[in-house]
Amino acid sequence: GTGSSILSALQDLFWLSKSKVEKQLQVISVLQWVLTFLIMGIACTLILMYILCTDCWAIAALYLAWLVFDWNTPKKGGRRSQWVRNWAIWRYFRDYFPIRLVKTHNLLTTRNYIFGYHPHGIMGLGAFCNFSTEATGVSQKFPGIRPYLATLAGNFRMPILRDYLMSGGICPVNRDSIDYILSKNGSGNAIIIVVGGAAESLNCTPGKNSVTLKNRKGFVKLALRHGADLVPVYSFGENEVYKQVIFEEGSWGRWVQKKFQKHIGFAPCIFHGRGLFSSNTWGLLPYPKPITTVVGEPITIPKIDNPSQREVDFYHSIYVDSLIKLFDKYKSKFGLPETEVLEVN
């Protein structure tokens, strides 16, 4: 009857509204992360300096005193918070793309691991969501394993940002931090290193699957020194979420990028995604493209205190072969043609 029709219409309207609210929450969750990535460190530094010049200077002074006292915490495993890692906002972040974590093998809690994450993309969105939050269930899929996503050490010199990053289990990508986690923090640790780094980010563009790996062997040497197993990880779709202006080798643009990379540690990229209110305009929001992160089979690594270059090269070649095999095995399942080849630079 008429009553049933009205009720049905109201139910349709309710679900439509709920869907729209969820979409907006997804956009907000991603926007806050993008702004965190781009400006939070600088903004917090400027705010702290401003407060020092006001009547509330004591608050800033107390924080700076705490900062000095707490300076070495990032190098000692940080200060992760399960509460922060389980925030609902990360689930909306996950669903925006969506992002998915695929487990292919079990990991022993009696071993330590170095995950090589590929490719970098513009912001490493898949690496963050999968390993610095619980949105994709990393702790359930790898029980007993503590993931530590390694990022630029300079981020941990920024007030407030350093604490925010540590709460997610993020650590500096330097030898002191990695040595501590792999040698003084027990077993069951997994350090995720985005091996290609800033150099790889300069070449990421939709439709391109390439990694900067041929001359990246430091992570293999670290694995040998600590006897930590190597795990190849490939994130299908990481390069699809932003469009970037690629400067040719020898151009002024690439020269500027390489100078920044050499002296500061990151390379400025000219990129864009979609707009905040419309997918048809340019903006800072990434395009909502699926990102699927596949964690491959661990490679057993012996403990060698002072590995020779020959030993490093040997295990590096095994790692490269394993990454290519992982890519080839899953590429067609996640939307790539069988003819697609992973370019290793």
Side-chain angles (χ1 to χ4, degrees):
T2 305
S4 298
S5 299
I6 293 173
L7 181 61
S8 177
L10 287 173
Q11 287 176 338
D12 290 342
L13 181 62
F14 172 76
W15 286 113
L16 179 63
S17 299
K18 183 179 179 181
S19 174
K20 286 183 176 178
V21 169
E22 287 186 347
K23 287 291 184 184
Q24 293 304 314
L25 289 172
Q26 291 170 13
V27 168
I28 292 169
S29 68
V30 174
L31 178 62
Q32 68 83 26
W33 167 245
V34 171
L35 294 178
T36 296
F37 183 91
L38 294 176
I39 66 171
M40 183 177 178
I42 295 173
C44 288
T45 302
L46 293 175
I47 291 171
L48 194 67
M49 291 172 63
Y50 171 75
I51 294 174
L52 278 171
C53 300
T54 68
D55 292 339
C56 299
W57 64 268
I59 296 174
L62 283 172
Y63 179 80
L64 288 174
W66 160 253
L67 194 63
V68 172
F69 175 78
D70 195 54
W71 191 253
N72 289 321
T73 298
K75 299 178 183 178
K76 297 181 178 180
R79 189 169 44 246
R80 80 173 55 220
S81 165
Q82 287 302 117
W83 175 65
V84 173
R85 287 175 61 88
N86 281 285
W87 277 354
I89 195 172
W90 305 131
R91 295 193 290 275
Y92 290 113
F93 182 98
R94 171 198 66 196
D95 294 339
Y96 173 86
F97 297 92
I99 295 173
R100 181 185 173 202
L101 180 65
V102 176
K103 170 186 174 180
T104 63
H105 291 78
N106 292 325
L107 298 181
L108 298 175
T109 58
T110 54
R111 300 285 292 173
N112 283 324
Y113 302 90
I114 293 180
F115 287 17
Y117 184 92
H118 314 268
H120 183 285
I122 295 292
M123 296 185 184
L125 294 162
F128 170 78
C129 184
N130 285 307
F131 302 113
S132 294
T133 80
E134 293 297 331
T136 56
V138 63
S139 293
Q140 286 72 44
K141 290 176 180 176
F142 299 104
I145 301 298
R146 292 180 298 277
Y148 294 87
L149 177 60
T151 188
L152 289 176
N155 288 324
F156 296 90
R157 301 187 188 102
M158 302 283 191
I160 309 301
L161 176 63
R162 66 189 294 277
D163 302 288
Y164 189 39
L165 295 178
M166 283 194 292
S167 68
I170 300 177
C171 67
V173 61
N174 58 31
R175 181 168 171 175
D176 289 343
S177 178
I178 294 173
D179 283 348
Y180 182 90
I181 292 170
L182 295 180
S183 64
K184 299 179 181 178
N185 202 42
S187 59
N189 301 293
I191 297 180
I192 298 88
I193 299 177
V194 186
V195 178
E200 190 171 86
S201 70
L202 297 179
N203 296 314
C204 70
T205 188
K208 185 174 184 179
N209 289 283
S210 66
V211 296
T212 301
L213 183 57
K214 278 184 180 178
N215 297 316
R216 300 294 176 106
K217 301 179 181 181
F219 73 106
V220 178
K221 189 172 184 178
L222 280 169
L224 285 164
R225 288 181 62 246
H226 293 284
D229 294 348
L230 288 171
V231 182
V233 179
Y234 197 84
S235 222
F236 294 90
E238 185 72 64
N239 284 347
E240 308 299 316
V241 296
Y242 279 111
K243 295 179 181 179
Q244 180 184 188
V245 177
I246 304 294
F247 293 102
E248 297 295 329
E249 290 292 340
S251 66
W252 67 269
R254 183 52 65 99
W255 179 83
V256 170
Q257 288 176 323
K258 287 187 173 181
K259 286 296 181 182
F260 266 83
Q261 178 189 337
K262 180 179 179 180
H263 297 292
I264 301 178
F266 74 92
C269 302
I270 299 177
F271 65 92
H272 73 84
R274 52 156 290 185
L276 180 59
F277 301 106
S278 171
S279 59
N280 297 320
T281 58
W282 288 10
L284 289 176
L285 280 177
Y287 292 105
K289 303 288 186 179
I291 298 175
T292 305
T293 303
V294 184
V295 180
E297 182 178 4
I299 303 164
T300 302
I301 302 294
K303 188 177 187 303
I304 305 174
D305 291 333
N306 293 296
S308 65
Q309 189 60 49
R310 183 177 179 181
E311 290 167 327
V312 172
D313 290 343
F314 173 73
Y315 285 101
H316 181 268
S317 66
I318 293 176
Y319 178 86
V320 173
D321 289 342
S322 296
L323 178 65
I324 293 173
K325 288 177 183 177
L326 179 71
F327 178 85
D328 288 340
K329 182 176 180 179
Y330 288 94
K331 61 185 178 183
S332 60
K333 186 175 181 180
F334 300 121
L336 298 177
E338 283 290 347
T339 54
E340 185 73 19
V341 175
L342 180 62
E343 182 183 328
V344 181
N345 299 314

